Amino acid sequence: MLRNPLQLRLEKCETWQHVSFMAALVERMYPNYALYCAQTEFADPQAFRNILDAVWESQTVKGAKIDFERQLEKLEPLIPALTDDAIYITYPAIDACAALSHLLHALLDRDEMLTITLKVSQQSVMSVAQLEEAQTGDAVTDENQKANEAVCDEWDAQWAIFRVLKSADTRDVEMLKGIRQELREAGVSNLGLSL
């Protein structure tokens, strides 16, 4: 596990901040999934997008009633299988699905919110670390991660999202819509891949 002071700061967040933080990280992982679908014709990435949009809706539409159990059921067939001849982008696509699954589970079991938020944060940074390891052959560890620009960029992105969320005393719907829109328009994944 790669450690960062951000993990301690997340402990002091409210539920809506945890959910929004995770949704933002999944939003950053979505291009990996969409590119996998485009390369393999595995599934329609819009189905993944719809589930993620339902999560955002739960945070931005007052009184929104989302059946998160049903959303989990919809996610199941969208998860790529890992085969011996899998192309590299399969791994980040699976990571994106795992992160979205974790997020949905957090919404179903709010007692696990912090644990799952930390897991999604770690999932996103480990996707980056694994790509770096695949490219360089060098393992990214807690001790050497500060020397890895891509891993540092991922932590910086997570800090930026955290700071915006932490700056609000209460759930600010327009701020959340702005975060979602900015990440969606950027269209760049945590791995630096563009749609």
Side-chain angles (χ1 to χ4, degrees), residues 22 42 126 129 155 159 162 173:
M22 287 187 282
F42 168 71
M126 287 308 296
W155 284 124
W159 271 104
F162 168 81
V173 170

Side-chain angles (χ1 to χ4, degrees), residues 23-42:
L25 296 186
V26 175
E27 194 70 57
R28 292 186 68 241
M29 297 171 91
Y30 169 75
N32 300 332
Y33 184 79
L35 289 168
Y36 169 79
C37 290
Q39 288 184 17
T40 63
E41 299 180 355
F42 168 71

